[in-house]
Amino acid sequence: MSNPPKDFKIFEFSKENKAKIELILKRYPEGRQASAILPLFDLAQRQCGGWLPPSAIEKVTEILGVSLVRGYEVATFYTMFNLTPVGQYHVQICGTTPCMLRGSEDLKRVCKKHLGIAEGETTEDGLFTVNEVECIGACVNAPAVQINDDYFEDLTKETFLNLLEDLKGGKDIKPGSAVGRQGSAPLEPPHERHPREGGEPGDA
Amino acid sequence: MPKLIIDNQEIEVEDGVTVLQAAELLGIEIPVFCYHPKLSIAGNCRMCLVEMDKSPKPIASCAMPVSEGMVIRTHTPMVKKARQGVLEFLLINHPLDCPICDQGGECDLQDITMAYGSDGSRFNLNKRAVPDKEFGPLIETAMNRCIQCTRCIRFATEIAGAPELGAFGRGEDMEIGTYIENAIRSELSGNMIDICPVGALTSKPYNFRGRSWELSRTLSVDVFDAVGSSIRIDSRGREVMRILPRRNDEINEGWISDKTRFAYDGLKYQRLDQPYARDNKGRLKPVSWDEAFALIVDRLQHIPGDHIAAISGDMVDLEAMVALKDLMTAIGSPHMDCRQDGVVVGDGPRCSYLFNTTIEGIEKADFCLLIGTNPRWEAPLINARIRKNYLATGLPVVRLGCDHDLGYPVDDLGNDPLILERILKGKHPVSAALKAAQFPMIILGQNAISRRDGPALLNVMYQIADKYGLIYDDWNGFNILHTAASRVGGLDLGFLPGPGGHGVKEISDAISRKHIEAVYLLGADELDMEALKNAFIIYQGHHGDRGATAADIVLPGAAYTEKSGTYVNVEGRVQRSLKAVSPPGEAKEDWKIIRALSEKLGFILPYNTLEEVRERLVDVNPLFEELDIVQRAPWTPFSSVGVVSSDPFESGIKNFYMTDPISRHSITMAKCTREILGGAPHVLHPREGGDPEII
């Protein structure tokens, strides 16, 4: 077996993914199979190592019987589909207001400096791609970063750089809050919470 | 039927009508960009916002269906402010390059901004820049001007059936483009230029050539196919600057094919602008009209009248045809034919050669059988109607003949004409489908009936139509799809071999037996000129094409933009074109040439004005009196003899962009051939003694 094709000139779903497609298509009523375009793109993107090459878009539109240009419209609309290759770890730093207030700008700066790349670029070793993204829905544990499918929350400059180093070193990393918070529970136990200053809630 | 009040006027409309349409019925204008009456509703430009009682926000009237008791206001401070706001947003990224924009003067954005916009912009940042796209040889793009109304995308997807355009990216970064940059492969692509409300898509051949206010507009009729689309000829001085469609819901709905729209530059090249005569060295030499007529008279007086034949071409007006017919009758010749491709229809009743269903009637059909035809190339607008029906009702289309992509799914039966006999005998699945359908239609291509077994095919068709109930009450599903604009008119006029006369197919044989010694070609170029070479050939027409190259005497006539002519379209609709510009040089209107020649030959035709020619037309066939309506033919039995051959059907049109003397000399059409069809470079006809010009 030779090396896997790098440019994905001809894309073919793997055997396991073909079985998954069968299941996915069954979720939609007869004649509405075109709706499966998002899960199928996702499947293709995973198979291709994090990006969606044109041949994969072609393959999916062929399976669903929609025109190529419709597939391309969908793929360019959703920012979670990467139309250029990404590194092994796709670092997506949330830059929306809550994360920004909690220091995402710093995270972005140190990350780019540490890895020596600009936004949207991939490191030479092919390990990291950095992007700023819109709200990833983890505001409560801001600032948050999504790396591939996992969220890393409550980050500081230091914990974030350690995380990147661990990834580089191939160490096991633990997703979730960096400060050990369970889910989005408050950091302090409830009874130690400070009473609200200035009276009852709603007094403003 | 809901009742609603718009601007204090009450109106009752049908269910499903939108607020915008209801306002239109009352004559209230609401500005729009993305809404187009022939396309699906997008509702994304927000220009049509109006105020609705009980709604806190303005509503998009193009997308809001009417309901009982609605109260709509279109002239309130809120609407005014909403319109100003929408325009301000649209203009944020729209370049202010109206002075160098081809759309200037006929631009929706310009007009609407003038009428509804505010007087300034509060936006002081840089505008976004969008790279221009390559849409092929017909459409020029300036994508900075695009306001993302998506009309072009919807047109390509819905009407043209070529889903090649899309909107890529999102939000402010959204761009219109094709998946892979290439020419848009549709015969209707030029219509995107018309529907683009701004100057993002403009005509490439017309690029920077003129301004809309400089042009004179002439309402006319198209002759590049037999559909007879309603067109507008825009001219400046003696030059046709562009051709645009007119809205005519019974025929072309406001669309025209790219050949109709862009082949007009062929009117400027290789024109016959003076008479020519072949000298004794075999070269065509310019002569005066008098000399040309004298030479004709000199030759014809030694030839008996019944040894002269006349063939009329595909773009000839009825006035010229009736004059030539009268002249031939006066000379005593029965050898006349308007079917230069040798089709066999025309001897039977009128219903045997019409598109009886009518173009509008296609929308009613619930089963369609195509035989030996490629409607996409033979009549793009008829194909668009079939597609429209397919989109609306899922019309099943079955085809016997060559495989062409028509833009909708087609069930192929193969390419064996003998299948028709099995259908007739009820031994084919199509038989049951024809029987079950309530509004079945069959379309037989012109090329199919020009075959040797044409009469037999026509006969089988008739029997199928009769057996499976294709004709009842006011439904008639029997259709012949002609490609020549002058064909139905010629047949209605009876420009056909008289008793003992030879048709096109027998003429070459008759020439070799010296039964025919002279041939008058009236704009007839699609013939095997080699077969006529032993005869004295008079060619009358507008281009130095095949006919003129073979002729002994060339008489310069007028092209369709240069004369007022009568044509009958494929449905049997009599239409009249108007003269937009004058013929070049010494060229004359065709009926006048024949009238003048008749005098020299001593058979003076009894008409001196266009009105008198038209009176004569009505004498010959009273049908020609009623203009612009379909004159349906009663279903009368007809039959012809012969045996259907098993030879497969062939494609009638090899190159959509070059089918006639005008489009063969159009540089735009040559570019289309090369870039869209991937054809070889086009070679213009060599000028006398010169090298062929390759473009």
Side-chain angles (χ1 to χ4, degrees):
Chain A
M1 185 74 195
S2 60
N3 289 332
K6 278 204 177 115
D7 55 0
F8 295 102
K9 273 218 167 95
I10 297 162
F11 174 85
E12 189 56 67
F13 275 110
S14 66
K15 213 170 166 195
E16 304 85 73
N17 280 344
K18 277 185 180 160
K20 279 187 194 163
I21 291 172
E22 294 260 309
L23 288 175
I24 291 170
L25 289 179
K26 277 187 195 141
R27 288 187 215 151
Y28 301 91
E30 193 53 45
R32 305 279 178 208
Q33 264 62 30
S35 301
I37 194 160
L38 289 178
L40 259 57
F41 274 159
D42 182 56
L43 219 53
Q45 174 159 306
R46 283 168 196 282
Q47 188 179 317
C48 297
W51 77 295
L52 202 52
S55 58
I57 298 178
E58 277 169 36
K59 186 79 204 172
V60 170
T61 54
E62 187 192 309
I63 291 172
L64 299 176
V66 297
S67 70
L68 244 173
V69 72
R70 294 287 95 78
Y72 197 54
E73 281 182 328
V74 171
T76 55
F77 184 84
Y78 291 99
T79 53
M80 285 169 79
F81 296 125
N82 302 311
L83 300 178
T84 47
V86 292
Q88 190 182 340
Y89 301 107
H90 187 199
V91 181
Q92 302 178 73
I93 304 171
C94 175
T96 306
T97 320
C99 285
M100 194 191 82
L101 292 173
R102 299 277 291 156
S104 69
E105 306 265 90
D106 286 342
L107 296 188
K108 212 166 86 181
R109 202 180 60 244
V110 297
C111 174
K112 290 198 286 197
K113 195 175 166 199
H114 184 75
L115 298 175
I117 50 173
E119 211 182 311
E121 288 181 356
T122 304
T123 52
E124 265 177 30
D125 54 9
L127 276 182
F128 295 101
T129 302
V130 180
N131 271 315
E132 181 184 330
V133 294
E134 299 307 325
C135 185
I136 57 174
C139 316
V140 75
N141 291 0
V145 170
Q146 183 183 358
I147 300 176
N148 295 350
D149 284 343
D150 294 321
Y151 277 23
F152 299 88
E153 302 145 6
D154 291 321
L155 291 169
T156 60
K157 285 184 262 184
E158 295 74 33
T159 48
F160 186 35
L161 289 185
N162 287 340
L163 181 66
L164 293 178
E165 276 307 304
D166 286 352
L167 283 172
K168 207 184 261 179
K171 288 188 197 155
D172 271 352
I173 49 160
K174 191 172 146 285
S177 170
V179 294
R181 195 200 297 251
Q182 189 184 5
S184 55
L187 277 176
E188 306 95 358
H191 63 271
E192 284 177 22
R193 223 176 358 160
H194 297 290
R196 192 178 280 272
E197 278 172 37
E200 292 299 309
D203 278 2
Chain B
M1 299 251 289
K3 263 189 203 156
L4 71 161
I5 297 170
I6 307 178
D7 289 350
N8 300 320
Q9 299 177 61
E10 198 180 66
I11 183 172
E12 192 173 349
V13 290
E14 279 175 38
D15 270 324
V17 167
T18 62
V19 173
L20 181 87
Q21 289 165 328
E24 225 162 52
L25 290 175
L26 284 172
I28 298 168
E29 191 190 304
I30 297 175
V32 291
F33 290 116
C34 71
Y35 171 79
H36 190 282
K38 296 285 174 195
L39 301 175
S40 65
I41 293 166
N44 55 6
C45 76
R46 317 310 288 175
M47 195 61 227
C48 63
L49 293 177
V50 295
E51 194 174 340
M52 181 171 73
D53 273 17
K54 295 179 198 137
S55 162
K57 295 195 287 181
I59 57 153
S61 58
C62 74
M64 175 69 84
V66 294
S67 59
E68 186 61 44
M70 251 183 186
V71 180
I72 303 288
R73 293 170 215 280
T74 71
H75 287 99
T76 62
M78 188 228 246
V79 173
K80 183 167 185 252
K81 205 172 165 215
R83 286 174 180 168
Q84 282 187 349
V86 168
L87 276 169
E88 195 174 354
F89 271 119
L90 284 176
L91 291 170
I92 279 179
N93 278 319
H94 189 85
L96 297 178
D97 60 356
C98 304
I100 55 148
C101 174
D102 260 351
Q103 192 85 356
E106 49 183 0
C107 172
D108 288 358
L109 186 57
Q110 228 177 16
D111 295 345
I112 292 175
T113 304
M114 282 300 288
Y116 305 101
S118 90
D119 56 354
S121 170
R122 287 171 283 179
F123 186 77
N124 54 11
L125 304 174
N126 286 333
K127 290 172 187 266
R128 77 168 189 159
V130 184
D132 289 346
K133 308 292 186 293
E134 175 57 45
F135 281 2
L138 302 176
I139 304 177
E140 180 69 44
T141 66
M143 299 316 279
N144 277 339
R145 299 175 186 149
C146 176
I147 58 168
Q148 290 86 43
C149 70
T150 70
R151 273 186 186 177
C152 52
I153 300 179
R154 283 174 283 146
F155 176 84
T157 312
E158 292 162 19
I159 311 286
E164 294 179 20
L165 284 181
F168 305 128
R170 64 196 291 179
E172 204 202 356
D173 297 324
M174 183 170 139
E175 288 180 20
I176 308 290
T178 46
Y179 179 64
I180 300 161
E181 293 239 325
N182 59 9
I184 293 169
R185 284 166 200 280
S186 161
E187 291 71 36
L188 297 171
S189 68
N191 295 298
M192 287 179 201
I193 298 166
D194 291 341
I195 60 169
C196 181
V198 295
L201 306 181
T202 51
S203 163
K204 214 171 226 177
Y206 177 66
N207 204 6
F208 304 136
R209 298 289 170 89
R211 285 301 200 180
S212 61
W213 56 85
E214 307 167 332
L215 306 175
S216 331
R217 300 164 177 199
T218 311
L219 308 185
S220 196
V221 178
D222 175 49
V223 298
F224 284 99
D225 56 31
V227 172
S229 301
S230 299
I231 56 167
R232 193 182 97 193
I233 302 168
D234 279 5
S235 57
R236 190 174 59 193
R238 294 184 68 164
E239 193 180 359
V240 174
M241 299 300 291
R242 61 176 182 181
I243 308 263
L244 297 176
R246 279 187 287 142
R247 173 110 180 241
N248 185 340
D249 282 352
E250 291 176 20
I251 307 174
N252 55 324
E253 291 194 279
W255 318 123
I256 48 173
S257 76
D258 288 351
K259 186 164 53 185
T260 301
R261 183 186 299 267
F262 292 112
Y264 65 86
D265 68 331
L267 293 168
K268 293 173 201 161
Y269 302 105
Q270 200 75 6
R271 287 300 301 272
L272 299 173
D273 53 1
Q274 64 185 78
Y276 288 87
R278 203 169 287 281
D279 64 11
N280 44 20
K281 286 182 195 144
R283 284 180 163 182
L284 283 175
K285 281 270 152 56
V287 292
S288 70
W289 275 107
D290 286 337
E291 286 167 329
F293 282 156
L295 286 165
I296 294 173
V297 172
D298 188 42
R299 279 299 290 267
L300 291 193
Q301 65 187 356
H302 303 298
I303 298 174
D306 61 354
H307 281 209
I308 302 170
I311 301 170
S312 132
D314 290 348
M315 298 174 128
V316 181
D317 52 312
L318 279 174
E319 287 80 355
M321 268 197 259
V322 76
L324 186 56
K325 185 185 176 192
D326 286 348
L327 178 62
M328 296 303 286
T329 313
I331 289 174
S333 161
H335 315 297
M336 279 177 273
D337 210 339
C338 63
R339 306 163 299 184
Q340 50 174 336
D341 51 357
V343 302
V344 292
V345 292
D347 307 322
R350 193 163 187 256
C351 62
S352 69
Y353 58 81
L354 286 190
F355 198 92
N356 290 298
T357 303
T358 73
I359 296 172
E360 223 178 3
I362 295 173
E363 290 184 32
K364 203 173 157 191
D366 59 359
F367 182 81
C368 181
L369 171 61
L370 305 174
I371 302 168
T373 178
N374 172 12
R376 183 170 164 179
W377 277 10
E378 289 166 20
L381 292 156
I382 285 181
N383 198 49
R385 283 286 177 141
I386 299 174
R387 183 177 151 78
K388 188 178 180 186
N389 184 337
Y390 160 73
L391 287 182
T393 71
L395 174 75
V397 183
V398 176
R399 169 173 55 199
L400 183 61
C402 296
D403 181 16
H404 299 281
D405 176 14
L406 297 180
Y408 43 87
V410 173
D411 199 358
D412 263 309
L413 302 179
N415 198 354
D416 179 5
L418 294 176
I419 291 175
L420 281 176
E421 294 194 327
R422 284 175 51 208
I423 294 175
L424 177 62
K425 286 178 190 147
K427 290 178 184 167
H428 195 277
V430 169
S431 318
L434 279 170
K435 203 176 250 174
Q438 200 184 350
F439 299 110
M441 65 184 289
I442 303 184
I443 302 178
L444 185 61
Q446 177 177 322
N447 194 52
I449 37 175
S450 66
R451 286 156 49 111
R452 195 176 291 274
D453 62 345
L457 284 170
L458 202 64
N459 199 35
V460 174
M461 272 275 293
Y462 168 77
Q463 290 183 40
I464 290 175
D466 214 38
K467 180 171 177 185
Y468 296 109
L470 264 65
I471 296 101
Y472 63 90
D473 301 339
D474 62 348
W475 177 258
N476 189 334
F478 180 93
N479 300 295
I480 304 289
L481 182 53
H482 296 279
T483 55
S486 61
R487 183 62 46 86
V488 173
L491 298 177
D492 282 347
L493 182 67
F495 200 95
L496 294 164
H502 297 300
V504 163
K505 282 185 172 174
E506 300 107 30
I507 277 185
S508 106
D509 188 40
I511 289 173
S512 61
R513 286 188 287 118
K514 296 261 183 216
H515 285 190
I516 285 179
E517 293 170 61
V519 182
Y520 198 113
L521 299 178
L522 179 59
D525 287 286
E526 325 299 322
L527 287 165
D528 177 15
M529 296 299 167
E530 196 59 24
L532 308 179
K533 72 174 180 199
N534 290 327
F536 173 65
I537 302 176
I538 304 161
Y539 177 82
Q540 176 182 339
H542 42 78
H543 271 81
D545 203 59
R546 295 168 191 166
T549 314
D552 296 295
I553 304 282
V554 175
L555 304 176
Y560 74 110
T561 52
E562 297 152 6
K563 61 188 169 194
S564 174
T566 310
Y567 301 88
V568 187
N569 86 344
V570 71
E571 310 163 278
R573 187 192 301 268
V574 184
Q575 301 192 102
R576 197 157 282 169
S577 69
L578 290 177
K579 176 177 172 174
V581 294
S582 303
E586 291 181 44
K588 301 269 185 279
E589 286 177 37
D590 292 272
W591 74 268
K592 287 183 180 167
I593 298 173
I594 298 163
R595 166 67 182 73
L597 179 61
S598 74
E599 198 167 330
K600 305 279 179 194
L601 289 171
F603 304 98
I604 301 177
L605 294 176
Y607 24 80
N608 295 314
T609 64
L610 194 56
E611 286 65 41
E612 285 170 9
V613 182
R614 287 180 175 159
E615 277 164 27
R616 168 71 187 140
L617 271 176
V618 176
D619 280 350
V620 177
N621 193 338
L623 282 171
F624 298 136
E625 192 157 24
E626 288 273 4
L627 293 182
D628 297 326
I629 55 161
V630 173
Q631 308 197 40
R632 309 191 62 160
W635 187 247
T636 342
F638 55 91
S639 65
S640 39
V641 287
V643 182
V644 175
S645 113
S646 62
D647 297 342
F649 292 113
E650 285 171 23
S651 291
I653 297 180
K654 302 282 187 287
N655 173 1
F656 167 75
Y657 297 101
M658 289 185 171
T659 50
D660 50 81
I662 300 177
S663 56
R664 273 198 290 270
H665 292 99
S666 156
I667 292 175
T668 312
M669 292 295 104
K671 284 183 185 159
C672 288
T673 306
R674 190 164 44 199
E675 292 178 34
I676 299 176
L677 301 179
H682 169 55
V683 182
L684 283 179
H685 279 266
R687 285 189 179 277
E688 287 296 310
D691 289 328
E693 184 189 351
I694 297 177
I695 52 168

PDB file of all heavy atoms in Angstrom, chain B residues 410-424:
ATOM      1  N   VAL B 410     -35.106  13.451 -18.778  1.00  0.00           N
ATOM      2  CA  VAL B 410     -35.796  12.924 -19.952  1.00  0.00           C
ATOM      3  C   VAL B 410     -35.656  11.411 -19.922  1.00  0.00           C
ATOM      4  O   VAL B 410     -34.600  10.881 -19.633  1.00  0.00           O
ATOM      5  CB  VAL B 410     -35.157  13.493 -21.240  1.00  0.00           C
ATOM      6  CG1 VAL B 410     -35.740  12.819 -22.452  1.00  0.00           C
ATOM      7  CG2 VAL B 410     -35.373  14.988 -21.321  1.00  0.00           C
ATOM      8  N   ASP B 411     -36.749  10.743 -20.222  1.00  0.00           N
ATOM      9  CA  ASP B 411     -36.742   9.293 -20.284  1.00  0.00           C
ATOM     10  C   ASP B 411     -36.426   8.900 -21.725  1.00  0.00           C
ATOM     11  O   ASP B 411     -37.210   9.171 -22.628  1.00  0.00           O
ATOM     12  CB  ASP B 411     -38.135   8.790 -19.868  1.00  0.00           C
ATOM     13  CG  ASP B 411     -38.082   7.346 -19.454  1.00  0.00           C
ATOM     14  OD1 ASP B 411     -36.993   6.763 -19.538  1.00  0.00           O
ATOM     15  OD2 ASP B 411     -39.131   6.812 -19.056  1.00  0.00           O
ATOM     16  N   ASP B 412     -35.271   8.295 -21.944  1.00  0.00           N
ATOM     17  CA  ASP B 412     -34.866   8.007 -23.316  1.00  0.00           C
ATOM     18  C   ASP B 412     -35.399   6.658 -23.784  1.00  0.00           C
ATOM     19  O   ASP B 412     -35.263   5.654 -23.096  1.00  0.00           O
ATOM     20  CB  ASP B 412     -33.339   8.025 -23.413  1.00  0.00           C
ATOM     21  CG  ASP B 412     -32.849   9.366 -23.903  1.00  0.00           C
ATOM     22  OD1 ASP B 412     -33.367   9.815 -24.945  1.00  0.00           O
ATOM     23  OD2 ASP B 412     -31.972   9.954 -23.255  1.00  0.00           O
ATOM     24  N   LEU B 413     -36.000   6.673 -24.961  1.00  0.00           N
ATOM     25  CA  LEU B 413     -36.503   5.431 -25.524  1.00  0.00           C
ATOM     26  C   LEU B 413     -35.488   4.821 -26.475  1.00  0.00           C
ATOM     27  O   LEU B 413     -35.699   3.754 -27.012  1.00  0.00           O
ATOM     28  CB  LEU B 413     -37.791   5.679 -26.312  1.00  0.00           C
ATOM     29  CG  LEU B 413     -38.958   6.307 -25.568  1.00  0.00           C
ATOM     30  CD1 LEU B 413     -40.112   6.498 -26.515  1.00  0.00           C
ATOM     31  CD2 LEU B 413     -39.367   5.428 -24.407  1.00  0.00           C
ATOM     32  N   GLY B 414     -34.416   5.518 -26.745  1.00  0.00           N
ATOM     33  CA  GLY B 414     -33.452   5.069 -27.733  1.00  0.00           C
ATOM     34  C   GLY B 414     -33.608   5.890 -28.992  1.00  0.00           C
ATOM     35  O   GLY B 414     -34.218   6.958 -28.982  1.00  0.00           O
ATOM     36  N   ASN B 415     -33.060   5.370 -30.064  1.00  0.00           N
ATOM     37  CA  ASN B 415     -33.061   6.163 -31.283  1.00  0.00           C
ATOM     38  C   ASN B 415     -33.473   5.305 -32.471  1.00  0.00           C
ATOM     39  O   ASN B 415     -32.872   5.347 -33.528  1.00  0.00           O
ATOM     40  CB  ASN B 415     -31.672   6.785 -31.493  1.00  0.00           C
ATOM     41  CG  ASN B 415     -31.720   7.932 -32.469  1.00  0.00           C
ATOM     42  OD1 ASN B 415     -32.760   8.186 -33.073  1.00  0.00           O
ATOM     43  ND2 ASN B 415     -30.607   8.600 -32.642  1.00  0.00           N
ATOM     44  N   ASP B 416     -34.485   4.496 -32.286  1.00  0.00           N
ATOM     45  CA  ASP B 416     -34.966   3.655 -33.372  1.00  0.00           C
ATOM     46  C   ASP B 416     -36.368   4.116 -33.775  1.00  0.00           C
ATOM     47  O   ASP B 416     -37.327   3.927 -33.037  1.00  0.00           O
ATOM     48  CB  ASP B 416     -34.993   2.195 -32.899  1.00  0.00           C
ATOM     49  CG  ASP B 416     -35.503   1.274 -33.995  1.00  0.00           C
ATOM     50  OD1 ASP B 416     -35.739   1.778 -35.128  1.00  0.00           O
ATOM     51  OD2 ASP B 416     -35.684   0.072 -33.728  1.00  0.00           O
ATOM     52  N   PRO B 417     -36.515   4.748 -34.940  1.00  0.00           N
ATOM     53  CA  PRO B 417     -37.825   5.268 -35.337  1.00  0.00           C
ATOM     54  C   PRO B 417     -38.911   4.195 -35.390  1.00  0.00           C
ATOM     55  O   PRO B 417     -40.093   4.519 -35.298  1.00  0.00           O
ATOM     56  CB  PRO B 417     -37.563   5.854 -36.726  1.00  0.00           C
ATOM     57  CG  PRO B 417     -36.105   6.129 -36.764  1.00  0.00           C
ATOM     58  CD  PRO B 417     -35.474   5.089 -35.914  1.00  0.00           C
ATOM     59  N   LEU B 418     -38.503   2.923 -35.503  1.00  0.00           N
ATOM     60  CA  LEU B 418     -39.521   1.867 -35.586  1.00  0.00           C
ATOM     61  C   LEU B 418     -40.306   1.739 -34.284  1.00  0.00           C
ATOM     62  O   LEU B 418     -41.401   1.174 -34.271  1.00  0.00           O
ATOM     63  CB  LEU B 418     -38.868   0.537 -35.946  1.00  0.00           C
ATOM     64  CG  LEU B 418     -38.259   0.503 -37.363  1.00  0.00           C
ATOM     65  CD1 LEU B 418     -37.558  -0.806 -37.619  1.00  0.00           C
ATOM     66  CD2 LEU B 418     -39.335   0.743 -38.411  1.00  0.00           C
ATOM     67  N   ILE B 419     -39.730   2.291 -33.202  1.00  0.00           N
ATOM     68  CA  ILE B 419     -40.457   2.266 -31.927  1.00  0.00           C
ATOM     69  C   ILE B 419     -41.804   2.975 -32.074  1.00  0.00           C
ATOM     70  O   ILE B 419     -42.787   2.601 -31.439  1.00  0.00           O
ATOM     71  CB  ILE B 419     -39.599   2.936 -30.816  1.00  0.00           C
ATOM     72  CG1 ILE B 419     -38.402   2.049 -30.502  1.00  0.00           C
ATOM     73  CG2 ILE B 419     -40.413   3.198 -29.560  1.00  0.00           C
ATOM     74  CD1 ILE B 419     -37.419   2.653 -29.528  1.00  0.00           C
ATOM     75  N   LEU B 420     -41.855   3.973 -32.972  1.00  0.00           N
ATOM     76  CA  LEU B 420     -43.109   4.698 -33.191  1.00  0.00           C
ATOM     77  C   LEU B 420     -44.220   3.747 -33.606  1.00  0.00           C
ATOM     78  O   LEU B 420     -45.369   3.891 -33.184  1.00  0.00           O
ATOM     79  CB  LEU B 420     -42.922   5.763 -34.275  1.00  0.00           C
ATOM     80  CG  LEU B 420     -42.249   7.058 -33.862  1.00  0.00           C
ATOM     81  CD1 LEU B 420     -42.063   7.954 -35.067  1.00  0.00           C
ATOM     82  CD2 LEU B 420     -43.084   7.763 -32.804  1.00  0.00           C
ATOM     83  N   GLU B 421     -43.867   2.770 -34.440  1.00  0.00           N
ATOM     84  CA  GLU B 421     -44.905   1.839 -34.893  1.00  0.00           C
ATOM     85  C   GLU B 421     -45.362   0.955 -33.752  1.00  0.00           C
ATOM     86  O   GLU B 421     -46.535   0.595 -33.662  1.00  0.00           O
ATOM     87  CB  GLU B 421     -44.380   1.018 -36.068  1.00  0.00           C
ATOM     88  CG  GLU B 421     -44.136   1.930 -37.264  1.00  0.00           C
ATOM     89  CD  GLU B 421     -43.941   1.205 -38.570  1.00  0.00           C
ATOM     90  OE1 GLU B 421     -43.387   0.084 -38.526  1.00  0.00           O
ATOM     91  OE2 GLU B 421     -44.320   1.779 -39.604  1.00  0.00           O
ATOM     92  N   ARG B 422     -44.409   0.629 -32.853  1.00  0.00           N
ATOM     93  CA  ARG B 422     -44.812  -0.169 -31.680  1.00  0.00           C
ATOM     94  C   ARG B 422     -45.706   0.666 -30.769  1.00  0.00           C
ATOM     95  O   ARG B 422     -46.654   0.150 -30.189  1.00  0.00           O
ATOM     96  CB  ARG B 422     -43.573  -0.662 -30.932  1.00  0.00           C
ATOM     97  CG  ARG B 422     -42.915  -1.828 -31.681  1.00  0.00           C
ATOM     98  CD  ARG B 422     -41.628  -2.274 -31.039  1.00  0.00           C
ATOM     99  NE  ARG B 422     -41.769  -2.527 -29.612  1.00  0.00           N
ATOM    100  CZ  ARG B 422     -40.763  -2.393 -28.749  1.00  0.00           C
ATOM    101  NH1 ARG B 422     -39.585  -1.975 -29.169  1.00  0.00           N
ATOM    102  NH2 ARG B 422     -40.957  -2.656 -27.485  1.00  0.00           N
ATOM    103  N   ILE B 423     -45.394   1.950 -30.657  1.00  0.00           N
ATOM    104  CA  ILE B 423     -46.253   2.816 -29.839  1.00  0.00           C
ATOM    105  C   ILE B 423     -47.651   2.842 -30.447  1.00  0.00           C
ATOM    106  O   ILE B 423     -48.659   2.722 -29.753  1.00  0.00           O
ATOM    107  CB  ILE B 423     -45.670   4.245 -29.755  1.00  0.00           C
ATOM    108  CG1 ILE B 423     -44.351   4.228 -28.989  1.00  0.00           C
ATOM    109  CG2 ILE B 423     -46.669   5.201 -29.089  1.00  0.00           C
ATOM    110  CD1 ILE B 423     -43.628   5.561 -28.954  1.00  0.00           C
ATOM    111  N   LEU B 424     -47.703   2.939 -31.767  1.00  0.00           N
ATOM    112  CA  LEU B 424     -49.006   2.997 -32.451  1.00  0.00           C
ATOM    113  C   LEU B 424     -49.794   1.719 -32.231  1.00  0.00           C
ATOM    114  O   LEU B 424     -51.006   1.746 -32.024  1.00  0.00           O
ATOM    115  CB  LEU B 424     -48.786   3.252 -33.944  1.00  0.00           C
ATOM    116  CG  LEU B 424     -50.033   3.260 -34.810  1.00  0.00           C
ATOM    117  CD1 LEU B 424     -50.978   4.377 -34.380  1.00  0.00           C
ATOM    118  CD2 LEU B 424     -49.674   3.436 -36.278  1.00  0.00           C
TER     119      LEU B 424
END
